[in-house]
C-alpha cells in the first residue's frame, strides 16, 4: 500500500514588530559616539571659545522651552557626556554640576508657553538658544548647534543629532534638561493630578494615560495652545 503524501505547511517567521519613530531615533542615538571632533575642527581653524548650544522641551505640551549654551574647557574633560535623553535623571544631575563647575562659561535661557504660542515652537527654540548664547561670559567666538542655525554673526555649524555627536552640545543639552525638569517638577504639587513630576509635560505611550489625556484636553495653566 502506498503511503499518502501530505504537504506540510512551511513555517513562517513571526513578523518583526515595527519600531515607532521615537524608538528608532533612540536606537540610532545610542549607536552614535559623542566626541570632541567638531570642537577640534573649530579650535584648529583658530576659534578659542567654542560653545555648544541645544534646547529641550520642544515636543512638550506644558511649560517653557529651555536652551543651554556651554563653552567647555579644552584642558578638562567631563567624562560621560552624551545626549541627555539617553541618561538617567540621577546621572544628568551629577553631570550638570560637573559641567557648571569646570566649563569656561555656561548659560540657560527659557521661553514660556505664552511666548511659544505667539511665535511658534520653532522660533521660540531659536530665540531661547540665541538668548543663552548672548548671556555667555566670556563671549563665544564659534557655535556648534543641534540642527538649527541662529540669527547672529558668529561662525556656526548646525549638526544633525549634535547632542549625540558633540561633547559641547551634549553638555548644553544636559544642563538645559536638568533645569527644565526642575522647573516642571516644581509645579507638580500645585497640579498633582497631571503627573508633571513623572511626565515632565510630555504625552507619550510610556507616560501615565490619565496624565496624558489631561495634558491634551485639560485646562492646565501654562499648557501650550499651538
Amino acid at each position: 500500500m502506498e503511503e499518502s503524501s501530505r504537504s506540510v505547511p512551511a513555517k513562517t517567521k513571526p513578523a518583526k514588530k515595527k519600531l515607532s519613530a521615537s524608538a528608532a531615533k533612540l536606537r540610532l542615538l545610542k549607536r552614535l559616539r559623542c566626541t570632541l571632533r567638531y570642537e577640534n575642527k573649530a579650535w584648529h581653524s583658530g576659534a578659542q571659545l567654542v560653545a555648544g548650544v541645544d534646547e529641550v522641551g520642544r515636543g512638550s505640551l506644558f511649560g517653557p522651552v529651555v536652551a543651554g549654551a556651554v563653552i567647555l574647557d579644552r584642558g578638562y574633560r567631563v567624562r560621560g557626556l552624551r545626549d541627555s535623553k539617553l541618561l538617567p535623571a540621577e546621572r544628568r544631575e551629577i553631570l550638570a554640576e560637573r559641567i557648571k563647575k569646570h566649563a569656561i562659561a555656561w548659560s540657560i535661557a527659557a521661553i514660556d508657553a505664552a511666548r511659544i504660542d505667539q511665535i511658534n515652537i520653532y522660533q521660540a527654540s531659536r530665540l531661547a538658544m540665541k538668548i543663552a548664547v548672548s548671556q555667555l561670559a566670556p563671549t563665544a567666538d564659534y557655535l556648534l548647534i543641534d540642527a538649527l542655525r541662529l540669527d547672529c554673526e558668529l561662525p556656526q555649524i548646525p549638526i544633525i543629532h549634535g547632542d549625540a555627536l558633540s561633547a559641547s552640545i551634549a553638555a548644553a543639552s544636559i544642563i538645559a534638561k536638568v533645569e527644565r525638569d526642575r522647573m516642571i517638577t516644581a509645579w507638580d504639587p500645585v497640579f498633582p493630578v497631571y503627573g508633571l513630576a513623572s511626565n515632565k509635560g510630555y504625552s507619550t505611550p510610556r507616560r501615565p494615560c490619565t496624565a496624558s489625556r489631561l495634558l491634551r484636553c485639560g485646562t492646565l495653566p501654562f499648557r501650550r495652545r499651538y
Side-chain angles (χ1 to χ4, degrees):
M1 180 182 295
E2 295 184 358
E3 295 183 1
S4 59
S5 60
R6 295 182 180 180
S7 60
V8 179
K11 292 183 179 180
T12 57
K13 294 182 179 180
K16 291 184 178 180
K17 188 176 180 180
K18 187 176 181 180
L19 289 175
S20 65
S22 59
K25 182 179 179 180
L26 280 177
R27 177 177 288 186
L28 169 63
L29 294 177
K30 289 177 180 179
R31 292 201 299 264
L32 301 178
R33 290 187 61 210
C34 190
T35 69
L36 290 170
R37 178 162 61 99
Y38 293 96
E39 287 82 353
N40 283 326
K41 286 183 178 179
W43 290 328
H44 291 159
S45 73
Q48 297 296 317
L49 300 172
V50 180
V53 191
D54 197 11
E55 55 74 29
V56 297
R58 191 169 173 178
S60 177
L61 300 174
F62 174 88
V65 60
V66 177
V70 175
I71 301 175
L72 293 176
D73 186 344
R74 295 172 67 172
Y76 184 90
R77 181 182 176 186
V78 181
R79 297 184 180 276
L81 294 178
R82 65 188 310 198
D83 185 347
S84 63
K85 295 185 289 295
L86 303 178
L87 296 167
E90 297 79 9
R91 185 62 180 163
R92 285 196 299 264
E93 294 276 356
I94 293 171
L95 285 171
E97 291 303 314
R98 290 181 184 170
I99 292 164
K100 292 176 181 179
K101 181 178 179 180
H102 296 288
I104 292 174
W106 62 271
S107 172
I108 295 172
I111 302 298
D112 64 25
R115 185 64 173 149
I116 291 171
D117 289 342
Q118 289 176 350
I119 63 176
N120 75 50
I121 186 60
Y122 174 74
Q123 296 300 338
S125 298
R126 296 176 73 238
L127 178 59
M129 289 179 173
K130 188 175 180 179
I131 294 172
V133 169
S134 71
Q135 294 174 162
L136 288 170
T139 303
D141 60 9
Y142 200 99
L143 303 180
L144 301 175
I145 310 169
D146 185 33
L148 300 180
R149 185 173 287 276
L150 303 183
D151 295 327
C152 69
E153 297 180 355
L154 289 173
Q156 55 189 277
I157 297 180
I159 304 169
I160 302 299
H161 303 315
D163 44 4
L165 293 169
S166 159
S168 297
I169 298 178
S173 171
I174 289 167
I175 66 168
K177 174 66 174 169
V178 169
E179 176 63 16
R180 186 179 187 279
D181 283 358
R182 182 195 63 77
M183 295 168 69
I184 301 301
T185 301
W187 285 104
D188 187 67
V190 183
F191 307 106
V193 70
Y194 293 94
L196 295 174
S198 61
N199 62 44
K200 301 301 186 294
Y202 288 88
S203 176
T204 71
R206 295 184 178 183
R207 307 298 184 183
C209 294
T210 302
S212 296
R213 283 198 299 269
L214 288 170
L215 279 168
R216 285 196 299 268
C217 307
T219 57
L220 179 64
F222 312 113
R223 183 171 68 87
R224 302 176 192 172
R225 311 294 174 180
Y226 67 89

